[in-house]
Amino acid sequence: MAHGYRALMINLRTYMQRDGLNTIEKIITKWAPPCENNTRGYIERVSREMGTPADLELHPTKSVLSNLAAAISSVENGVPAVWEDIKAGLSIM
């Protein structure tokens, strides 16, 4: 699990730093494109779970990456993320 979260957080950091995708809305639109997903619903859920407006500018801090990964994991898996797994992923980044 740690390696999966590590990979997710590296992808998210790349979206932010290289691709300039610095809001939940921009990140999730790339992660879960509308041609395959209910992207609007996904954005709203991640925004709600993070307690962060979808259009707020984010920075790739460990806190933001871990909270974003937890919210994405929750949407993808239907259950809350296990924080110990996310922390383990952070520790090997």
Side-chain angles (χ1 to χ4, degrees):
M1 288 303 292
H3 288 280
Y5 281 119
R6 175 186 179 269
L8 172 55
M9 290 184 281
I10 287 172
N11 283 342
L12 295 171
R13 184 176 62 195
T14 299
Y15 288 177
M16 293 173 160
Q17 291 177 334
R18 186 193 69 197
D19 301 336
L21 305 176
N22 60 357
T23 66
I24 292 170
E25 185 170 33
K26 291 175 184 176
I27 291 166
I28 298 303
T29 298
K30 179 168 181 156
W31 180 262
C35 62
E36 301 172 1
N37 302 277
N38 174 2
T39 305
R40 177 58 34 209
Y42 203 132
I43 290 165
E44 290 171 2
R45 174 114 180 255
V46 168
S47 179
R48 184 174 57 252
E49 291 206 15
M50 288 184 66
T52 304
D55 60 351
L56 181 73
E57 183 177 344
L58 303 175
H59 302 280
T61 64
K62 288 183 177 186
S63 175
V64 167
L65 293 172
S66 61
N67 283 302
L68 191 50
I72 288 171
S73 178
S74 178
V75 173
E76 294 287 340
N77 298 312
V79 295
V82 176
W83 277 101
E84 290 77 25
D85 292 336
I86 292 173
K87 289 177 189 175
L90 273 174
S91 73
I92 58 175
M93 279 185 68

